[in-house]
Amino acid sequence: MARIYTRTGDAGSTGMLHGGRVSKGDELMDAVGDIDEAVSALGIARAGCAEPEHAAILFRVQRDLFVVAADLAANPERRDRLVPRISQVVPEMVTELEELIDRLVAARPLRPVFLIPGSTPTEAAIDLSRTVVRRAERHTVRAGAAGHLVSDDVFHYLNRLSDLLYVLARHSAGPEAEPASHD
């Protein structure tokens, strides 16, 4: 049986996809870590999701986030080795999120108020996932500003994903959801 530990990260660096190393404290690894956290938070949401269509969407998003993480963690000198939809985010992934958002909003228009998370366990978990994705987006922007190669498709995907999660959370909240203001 192979060992789970390699000892290669004991000095504070981690391997990049297709070679090279980067500090575990780097902005890029903050973004990759946020994506890992989002995948786990989405797992909590999916585990409690009673709506099969929503559970399937959450599962698809979890898989897509592995692609986002691979794209971010790729050695910039070896991006030619990336495989679309496997280790590279492509524009169609963003378009698919937009189409899904539009379909969900058309089926159930959003209420024109902010809702307090916690109406249902699933809604709360999706809202938590949304905030982690927003943090991943901020860290991705910082990584790009620090000089890391970050594709526009990754930026766009994370931005649209947080929108999708907002819509899914509203759907999961149900009609009894509490607005943030007392109008």
Side-chain angles (χ1 to χ4, degrees):
M1 181 172 142
R3 293 180 302 179
I4 188 73
Y5 56 91
T6 63
R7 297 187 178 125
T8 56
D10 289 353
S13 68
T14 191
M16 298 184 77
L17 181 61
H18 301 303
R21 299 196 70 75
V22 65
S23 169
K24 290 181 179 182
D26 193 278
E27 296 91 346
L28 185 66
M29 289 301 105
D30 285 340
V32 171
D34 293 337
I35 290 167
D36 186 32
E37 185 179 343
V39 170
S40 295
L42 287 165
I44 294 169
R46 187 170 56 86
C49 188
E51 176 60 47
E53 179 190 7
H54 293 175
I57 292 168
L58 294 172
F59 183 71
R60 179 176 133 204
V61 166
Q62 285 178 289
R63 293 185 118 176
D64 282 354
L65 284 173
F66 280 99
V67 177
V68 175
D71 195 311
L72 281 172
N75 181 326
E77 296 171 7
R78 298 196 177 117
R79 288 190 60 81
D80 59 320
R81 295 184 183 181
L82 298 183
V83 178
R85 293 184 178 265
I86 302 295
S87 54
Q88 181 182 29
V89 178
V90 294
E92 294 78 21
M93 293 170 67
V94 177
T95 301
E96 289 164 4
L97 290 181
E98 292 169 346
E99 290 169 353
L100 189 52
I101 292 166
D102 293 343
R103 185 172 58 79
L104 290 169
V105 171
R108 188 184 311 161
L110 298 174
R111 292 170 56 188
V113 296
F114 286 105
L115 301 179
I116 297 175
S119 298
T120 69
T122 299
E123 175 270 328
I126 294 171
D127 259 326
L128 177 61
S129 301
R130 177 187 54 77
T131 65
V132 175
V133 168
R134 283 284 194 211
R135 181 173 4 109
E137 182 182 14
R138 290 190 305 273
H139 281 144
T140 300
V141 168
R142 288 184 191 143
H148 289 285
L149 179 61
V150 179
S151 81
D152 287 343
D153 295 327
V154 166
F155 287 129
H156 299 158
Y157 184 89
L158 291 172
N159 189 268
R160 284 325 166 281
L161 178 57
S162 63
D163 294 336
L164 172 63
L165 295 176
Y166 179 83
V167 171
L168 279 176
R170 301 295 68 80
H171 274 247
S172 297
E176 300 82 33
E178 292 293 328
S181 63
H182 301 288
D183 293 343

